[in-house]
Amino acid sequence: MNDKARLAEKARKILKSLPRLAATLGCAGLLIGGLVVIAMQGMALVLDDDTQKRVIHVFIADLNGDGHQDVFMVTNQMHRIAFNDGTGKFTSSRELFMRKYALALGDLNGNGQLDAILTKFENAEMGGDLLMECGEMSSDYIFPVSTVDVPNQVFAVRDGNHDGIPEDFVAGCCGGGTTMMNYEFLPSDRHPCLGSAPPAAAALGDLNGDGSLDVFLAKGWMLVNGETQTTTPNEVWFNNGTGNFTDSGQRLGNAQSFYAVLGDLNDDGYLDAVIGNREGGEVWFNDGQGNFTKGSQRLGRGVTDLIFVTDLDNNESPDLFLGGNTSGRVWLNDGKGQFKAGQRIAYSRHEAVAVGDVTGDGIPDVFVGGPDSYQLWRGNGDGTFSAESRTSYR
């Protein structure tokens, strides 16, 4: 049995010892005492015994209604909100504790309310299976608040007393249970919605031009007989407009995938897909009917588990920022879906990165958030970034 299989088996045994309710609330990411994290990486559960505090994911959003883009940082312990003064200087607020994993968020049935595609445990006391469910959220949620126009980069909040601290929050995206939602506010009506083994990530968007949100599933890897690792191809599921999904039958790629985003990369009016894999990123072009063809480029060669799509060089074409464990790289679009490697930005394994305009000048910046300090890479508007000094949260 290899190391990953042993870790997966160890995590599964821990889950068996938990009550059904705790395992259900834990879903694909269960925080125990704020110190031990069980995270879904692709299809395997991996026990993370690294107790040093680290930021796993960063969301950029205006959290207190002052017009400035703040940051919400998901950590392996307590989660942190830091408020922006409008110039890219951040002050830390209180830390928060969350459970539950939301895979993707959007209005799936056309009624104007926010729905969530969830990953959860079934029969947890028996070891559990991961299932895909859909559920409707409260209409009081604000959606979306992310400054980056990426369908699965979402963060919905409700601030009932308007004190700038969200009482309820739902985060969706990015590979392996690293973002979570407040477990006290579960979807009111959950039902099975995708007859597919749960993915590492999902991206929502109208893929076939019928006006409904479809889903592109980035698949990871799964164990066969407890120890043999096998990759599972990515999938596309079409929404009939009422939140019921049908498998398109497409099986795309053979790499272990961690992340998926959508964007019109070649200016033909259709949403294409960018997938983060174990060995770089790849682009899948949409023919407008939801049929995808793999592009000729491979974007990098290392693990890619974070992707942002936005115009970084002010030429009105969506560029890419692809991130891995300790660095991210800019990829500039020629307007036809071909990309040129640009600047690389390094950070530590205890930090996470997000792209958005935090300085208020209309140009995307790169925010690198750590447990106790952050570094801002100010966007120059030409696809390059200038590093500012590392700063402690005030």
Side-chain angles (χ1 to χ4, degrees):
M1 183 178 293
N2 59 30
D3 290 342
K4 288 182 178 178
R6 282 194 293 271
L7 287 173
E9 179 66 18
K10 185 176 181 181
R12 190 168 63 82
K13 289 181 179 178
I14 290 175
L15 285 173
K16 281 186 176 181
S17 67
L18 298 173
R20 172 187 287 270
L21 178 60
T24 301
L25 291 178
C27 229
L30 177 60
L31 300 183
I32 304 173
L35 294 177
V36 179
V37 177
I38 299 175
M40 183 181 75
Q41 179 84 346
M43 301 306 302
L45 293 173
V46 178
L47 181 66
D48 183 356
D49 59 0
D50 181 2
T51 58
Q52 182 174 347
K53 188 172 182 180
R54 56 191 176 94
V55 179
I56 299 171
H57 191 76
V58 176
F59 285 99
I60 294 179
D62 180 5
L63 298 176
N64 57 1
D66 64 358
H68 308 315
Q69 299 302 308
D70 310 303
V71 294
F72 185 98
M73 288 171 282
V74 178
T75 82
N76 62 335
Q77 298 178 22
M78 300 292 284
H79 311 308
R80 166 176 282 173
I81 291 174
F83 293 122
N84 184 2
D85 68 359
T87 68
K89 304 296 183 183
F90 290 86
T91 301
S92 180
S93 179
R94 68 173 182 171
E95 294 184 313
L96 306 164
F97 179 70
M98 297 188 299
R99 290 178 177 171
K100 192 71 177 175
Y101 172 51
L103 188 69
L105 305 173
D107 180 8
L108 300 177
N109 56 9
N111 69 348
Q113 294 186 335
L114 177 65
D115 306 300
I117 296 179
L118 306 172
T119 301
K120 80 177 194 73
F121 281 111
E122 186 71 24
N123 299 321
E125 74 278 4
M126 301 299 296
D129 295 317
L130 287 165
L131 302 178
M132 301 276 290
E133 286 190 335
C134 291
E136 189 154 287
M137 309 302 299
S138 166
S139 60
D140 293 333
Y141 279 86
I142 303 168
F143 171 81
V145 294
S146 174
T147 59
V148 181
D149 186 17
V150 178
N152 70 336
Q153 277 288 336
V154 292
F155 181 30
V157 301
R158 183 172 64 187
D159 181 9
N161 58 4
H162 304 289
D163 64 353
I165 304 296
E167 290 80 32
D168 315 343
F169 26 79
V170 182
C173 118
C174 71
T178 59
T179 59
M180 304 176 192
M181 85 180 198
N182 191 332
Y183 70 93
E184 295 179 358
F185 298 89
L186 302 178
S188 59
D189 181 21
R190 297 190 300 180
H191 59 89
C193 58
L194 294 171
S196 174
L204 290 173
D206 182 6
L207 302 179
N208 58 2
D210 65 357
S212 299
L213 290 179
D214 309 304
V215 61
F216 193 111
L217 301 180
K219 292 303 190 80
W221 57 274
M222 60 191 304
L223 298 179
V224 177
N225 299 323
E227 58 181 69
T228 303
Q229 177 178 324
T230 179
T231 56
T232 54
N234 304 318
E235 300 173 5
V236 174
W237 290 68
F238 295 135
N239 185 353
N240 69 354
T242 64
N244 296 311
F245 291 84
T246 302
D247 187 357
S248 71
Q250 297 176 77
R251 298 297 180 263
L252 307 174
N254 56 9
Q256 181 182 355
S257 299
F258 303 116
Y259 204 93
V261 298
L262 300 174
D264 181 9
L265 303 179
N266 56 358
D267 196 30
D268 62 0
Y270 309 133
L271 288 176
D272 309 304
V274 188
I275 308 301
N277 296 324
R278 177 168 292 281
E279 297 181 354
E282 60 189 21
V283 176
W284 291 82
F285 291 107
N286 186 356
D287 67 357
Q289 302 299 313
N291 301 307
F292 287 83
T293 302
K294 185 179 178 181
S296 59
Q297 275 189 289
R298 179 167 65 169
L299 308 177
R301 296 185 178 275
V303 171
T304 299
D305 55 12
L306 182 67
I307 305 172
F308 292 91
V309 179
T310 190
D311 184 7
L312 300 175
D313 57 4
N314 199 32
N315 68 350
E316 299 184 354
S317 294
D319 306 303
L320 303 174
F321 183 93
L322 275 62
N325 294 328
T326 57
S327 70
R329 187 161 214 164
V330 172
W331 292 85
L332 299 177
N333 191 351
D334 67 358
K336 299 179 181 179
Q338 294 296 308
F339 294 87
K340 179 180 179 181
Q343 184 176 359
R344 184 179 294 277
I345 293 177
Y347 41 87
S348 80
R349 62 183 295 265
H350 300 290
E351 298 176 315
V353 64
V355 177
D357 178 17
V358 298
T359 56
D361 59 1
I363 300 172
D365 310 297
V366 175
F367 176 90
V368 177
D372 302 307
S373 63
Y374 65 93
Q375 184 174 25
L376 179 65
W377 292 74
R378 186 181 293 266
N380 298 319
D382 59 358
T384 65
F385 299 84
S386 298
E388 299 190 352
S389 300
R390 183 169 295 279
T391 306
S392 298
Y393 302 105
R394 294 181 297 175

